[in-house]
Amino acid sequence: MAINSGKPILVTEVCLRDGSHVVAHQFTVDQVRNVTRALDDAGMHYIEVSHGDGLGGSTLQYGKSLVDEMTLIEAAVDECENAKVAVLLIPGIGTINELKQASDLGARLVRIATHATEANVSAQHINKARELGMESLGFLMMAHSVPVEKLVEQAKLMESYGAEAVYVTDSAGSLLPHEVRERIKALRNSLDIEVGFHAHNNLSVAVANTLVAIEEGATRIDGSVRCLGAGAGNTQTEVLIAALDRMNINLGIDLYKMMDLAEDIVGPLIPGSQEIRKGSLVLGYAGVYSSFLLHAERAGARFGVDPRDILIELGKMKAVGGQEDMILDVAAEIAKRDKVRV
Amino acid sequence: MAKIKAAIIGSGNIGTDLMYKLENSDVIELIAMIGIESDSDGLQRAKQKGYKVFSNGIQAIVENPSMVDIVFDATSAKAHVHNAEILKELGILAIDLTPAAIGHFFCPAVSSLPTSLDIMNVNMITCGGQATIPIVHAINQVADVTYGEIIATISSLSAGPGTRANIDEFTITTRRGIEEVGGADKGKALIILNPADPPILMRDTVYCEVKNMDEAAIRKSIKEMVIKVNEYVGGYRLRQEPMFEGNCVTVLIEVEGAGDYFPPYAGNLDIMTAAAMRVGEDFARRMLTKNMIETTI
């Protein structure tokens, strides 16, 4: 495969951030230390550590963290010999105060995430990160939900604020390979900065989508070991490394070490199964933010309704990332409606 | 009956909506609309309505200091810091609708009017604060809130460039309001913009962790508070019955605007102008009583 970029491909492992959703934000210091140490030893480029909803996400809305994320960031920084610790920040949830704290503790890169149409809330944070000497990247979430032209327009805004890369973030795991191709291609043609890709595996095409993205010139790539991320997880990192190796693309990340840590260190952290089941499949099918899944399952149990009905309704209502409170509202509405019918 | 004279500075969306609301006040007489661009929609509309119109910003007040007793400031946080100094020197009450947060935080449903008229600067906190602080306060009165968290979700169309450029100001100022005015020991605020078309109504969610869980008392206190807010924001309502789980209360609110200048979905803007007008009227009544006493003496 021909690669449409001269820059090196840099991978960010997100299992300690996106995977935080899966463990209801209950990561311990030891778990973060063990995973980080093994990833660093395997040659991982960046390791993202934050609450699942980014800095400041420890809330009743999303779930409180067992351990303060700043403590986890500090522990991860301490374990890294070569890898850099990254953080996520969603304006409206986290603020510059948390960003500064993370930077003081040694976080070297931040992704500033907004909904795909709301890039202009990210200017002050992208700016501040640059000022703090961090790598400052933009993250356009729910990228499936807008036309390609809109995505380009919003990515250019982030570029104008000083972002050094912009990601196509498929938060719902809803994009198909041809849709990834047109989005990455359009961004590559319109931006002077790097383009990144973040997938969710809800339709079982995360690795395929990532290969397409790389082919089109994306150079900032996200993965989660064992698919430890929201919904059915992300691009499975160790699988991606193996596939790229088959294509003679060497990222300097040791495949055997990745396989071993996936089996022995990350595997035991997974509370259930990350295979695609009806809940995660509905996310990709209906285009719903992946971290809604566990909240919808809980609300379904609380109100006696099928979580799939909740998720489908949220998709119709065009709920955006962060609107977990809508899940309760929708579940309560469906329960009322069902009662009337009986 | 005599009325207290007021001006609005800032002829953008908020200022213009407030202009329409103040038309109906029985204690405030709007005299002037002050902007910085003479062809702005707000100033054009003010002119048509017959108000004095100025396009030289706060200078208009400096040149006509006895024109008004109250100035509603709907400019920006940065401009307000400057305006506040000048208004204070001139002895004019500033009701601040920007997130500058330098004055006395005020939410009409829960704040009592200061006993003296010495307070010269009143801050309206944020739209999310105005929508949620009453509920936090209502719960705190009967159950003692240890932690109050609010999520304000507004339509993308109703979030102006000022809000977008300084979104941290919203979360930080609202958190302060939850603690200082709502009474939560610790607060947290989130804001979410939703671009759905047609635009969604403003939605707010309040989560409170309480010391003394008493479902019946909390339910009653919340319902009474909604009636109180309805005195100045008719479209303020609960989306669902309050929910209880362990020591946590969840309240889902929806705010539909009056549609004065903004479309009804922009309940977030409506609740700010409605609350500011209410506060202005409370102070105006106080000023009128004081004037009456002084005249009698």
Side-chain angles (χ1 to χ4, degrees):
Chain A
M1 137 178 135
I3 295 181
N4 179 23
S5 170
K7 294 226 169 159
I9 293 164
L10 294 171
V11 181
T12 302
E13 170 58 45
V14 300
C15 72
L16 293 176
R17 197 279 303 165
D18 216 319
S20 174
H21 294 294
V22 183
V23 300
H25 317 290
Q26 301 297 296
F27 279 135
T28 65
V29 172
D30 280 347
Q31 288 170 344
V32 167
R33 280 190 180 274
N34 293 339
V35 173
T36 304
R37 193 183 311 127
L39 284 166
D40 181 64
D41 181 56
M44 181 54 59
H45 306 137
Y46 297 93
I47 302 165
E48 190 172 57
V49 182
S50 302
H51 183 280
D53 294 86
L55 298 178
S58 177
T59 52
L60 295 170
Q61 168 91 335
Y62 308 123
K64 292 223 177 192
S65 302
L66 176 67
V67 179
D68 187 313
E69 61 193 341
M70 296 301 166
T71 308
L72 300 179
I73 290 166
E74 194 174 15
V77 169
D78 185 51
E79 292 293 342
C80 285
E81 298 271 333
N82 298 303
K84 290 176 183 161
V85 171
V87 293
L88 179 80
L89 188 151
I90 303 176
I93 299 176
T95 67
I96 277 171
N97 296 340
E98 287 92 24
L99 181 62
K100 188 161 178 312
Q101 265 187 68
S103 166
D104 287 346
L105 293 171
R108 303 284 299 279
L109 177 148
V110 59
R111 280 97 71 84
I112 307 291
T114 75
H115 184 72
T117 55
E118 313 296 320
N120 61 358
V121 299
S122 66
Q124 71 180 146
H125 308 83
I126 289 177
N127 247 300
K128 185 69 184 178
R130 292 292 295 265
E131 214 180 286
L132 291 168
M134 301 172 86
E135 272 187 89
S136 181
L137 317 181
F139 212 58
L140 286 171
M141 302 190 287
M142 300 288 272
H144 75 282
S145 67
V146 294
V148 176
E149 306 73 47
K150 186 75 186 171
L151 201 63
V152 168
E153 167 204 297
Q154 297 290 302
K156 285 177 113 163
L157 283 178
M158 286 179 157
E159 181 177 38
S160 75
Y161 305 144
E164 292 153 275
V166 177
Y167 286 76
V168 173
T169 305
D170 184 16
S171 317
S174 195
L175 288 173
L176 297 172
H178 68 280
E179 296 168 316
V180 173
R181 188 181 299 283
E182 55 187 11
R183 280 167 176 72
I184 301 288
K185 190 182 263 177
L187 258 58
R188 283 280 296 149
N189 287 338
S190 325
L191 303 179
D192 291 324
I193 53 175
E194 286 181 75
V195 174
F197 182 63
H198 173 100
H200 279 268
N201 199 38
N202 302 330
L203 293 177
S204 200
V205 285
V207 171
N209 281 350
T210 304
L211 294 179
V212 168
I214 290 173
E215 191 179 355
E216 290 300 334
T219 47
R220 299 285 183 147
I221 297 299
D222 282 8
S224 58
V225 169
R226 290 289 291 273
C227 287
L228 182 52
N234 315 87
T235 305
Q236 193 169 344
T237 319
E238 64 279 22
V239 176
L240 177 71
I241 302 297
L244 289 173
D245 185 73
R246 284 274 314 279
M247 295 155 69
N248 293 320
I249 299 175
N250 182 355
L251 305 182
I253 298 171
D254 188 299
L255 177 60
Y256 262 40
K257 284 183 177 174
M258 287 300 292
M259 288 174 169
D260 286 341
L261 75 91
E263 202 73 20
D264 305 329
I265 299 175
V266 174
L269 303 182
I270 299 173
S273 147
Q274 286 302 96
E275 72 184 292
I276 300 164
R277 300 175 64 185
K278 60 184 179 184
S280 40
L281 177 52
V282 165
L283 296 173
Y285 172 72
V288 177
Y289 199 66
S290 292
S291 59
F292 284 6
L293 175 61
L294 296 177
H295 294 272
E297 287 176 350
R298 277 176 226 134
R302 183 167 170 184
F303 290 91
V305 301
D306 189 330
R308 284 176 296 186
D309 291 339
I310 302 173
L311 292 169
I312 296 270
E313 186 63 25
L314 288 165
K316 279 189 207 148
M317 296 170 86
K318 307 247 186 282
V320 304
Q323 281 193 281
E324 267 77 347
D325 49 330
M326 286 274 285
I327 295 172
L328 281 178
D329 194 5
V330 167
E333 281 300 317
I334 295 174
K336 270 193 233 165
R337 204 192 302 156
D338 289 354
K339 219 185 223 168
V340 174
R341 219 177 279 155
V342 175
Chain B
M1 191 180 151
K3 289 188 184 182
I4 294 292
K5 294 183 166 59
I8 296 170
I9 181 163
S11 59
N13 288 335
I14 294 265
T16 308
D17 190 73
L18 182 60
M19 173 182 87
Y20 283 100
K21 285 197 165 58
L22 286 175
E23 265 177 22
N24 305 316
S25 175
D26 53 6
V27 286
I28 292 178
E29 182 189 357
L30 184 65
I31 298 288
M33 183 82 162
I34 304 165
I36 44 172
E37 282 170 46
S38 56
D39 56 352
S40 70
D41 184 49
L43 289 189
Q44 293 300 326
R45 284 170 187 255
K47 200 181 278 174
Q48 281 166 19
K49 290 263 173 201
Y51 298 119
K52 284 184 193 163
V53 167
F54 299 90
S55 57
N56 55 344
I58 192 70
Q59 197 55 31
I61 300 284
V62 174
E63 286 164 13
N64 308 277
S66 55
M67 178 169 70
V68 293
D69 300 303
I70 300 178
V71 167
F72 292 92
D73 192 334
T75 56
S76 69
K78 208 176 151 198
H80 179 69
V81 174
H82 175 68
N83 297 347
E85 281 292 312
I86 292 168
L87 294 170
K88 193 179 159 198
E89 251 170 58
L90 295 173
I92 296 171
L93 172 68
I95 296 178
D96 173 22
L97 291 88
T98 80
I102 51 177
H104 186 86
F105 275 17
F106 213 96
C107 173
V110 309
S111 305
S112 45
L113 215 51
T115 44
S116 77
L117 281 171
D118 294 346
I119 287 182
M120 294 309 297
N121 191 310
V122 175
N123 178 267
M124 300 310 300
I125 319 172
T126 62
C127 60
Q130 290 296 340
T132 58
I133 287 168
I135 299 297
V136 175
H137 188 265
I139 298 172
N140 189 52
Q141 274 179 321
V142 295
D144 197 353
V145 174
T146 51
Y147 174 74
E149 176 181 311
I150 75 99
I151 295 90
T153 305
I154 63 177
S155 66
S156 296
L157 278 177
S158 69
T163 307
R164 289 168 175 274
N166 293 295
I167 202 160
D168 279 8
E169 278 172 359
F170 174 94
T171 48
I172 293 166
T173 302
T174 308
R175 176 179 56 71
R176 263 189 65 198
I178 299 289
E179 294 169 359
E180 293 172 22
V181 186
D185 298 340
K186 201 176 174 313
K188 169 95 184 171
L190 313 176
I191 181 169
I192 294 165
L193 307 181
N194 180 307
D197 186 25
I200 57 159
L201 293 179
M202 182 198 204
R203 282 164 176 270
D204 299 276
T205 297
V206 177
Y207 300 100
C208 284
E209 286 177 339
V210 302
K211 255 188 210 154
N212 315 313
M213 179 55 85
D214 178 342
E215 294 191 14
I218 293 172
R219 221 176 263 127
K220 181 164 173 281
S221 186
I222 291 172
K223 296 221 160 127
E224 286 167 2
M225 185 56 80
V226 170
I227 292 167
K228 239 172 149 179
V229 177
N230 283 151
E231 285 174 17
Y232 55 98
V233 187
Y236 184 86
R237 54 189 172 246
L238 298 182
R239 287 224 15 115
Q240 306 290 343
E241 284 295 305
M243 300 172 193
F244 299 90
E245 199 175 37
N247 69 335
C248 183
V249 191
T250 305
V251 184
L252 306 176
I253 303 155
E254 167 175 279
V255 188
E256 182 172 355
D260 289 320
Y261 175 62
F262 306 122
Y265 63 77
N268 47 310
L269 303 176
D270 188 71
I271 199 168
M272 276 304 266
T273 54
M277 163 157 156
R278 174 69 174 230
V279 174
E281 289 187 321
D282 286 349
F283 272 86
R285 270 189 209 99
R286 183 71 69 82
M287 290 172 182
L288 287 169
T289 317
K290 187 169 167 261
N291 291 351
M292 217 164 10
I293 294 168
E294 280 169 6
T295 325
T296 321
I297 293 166

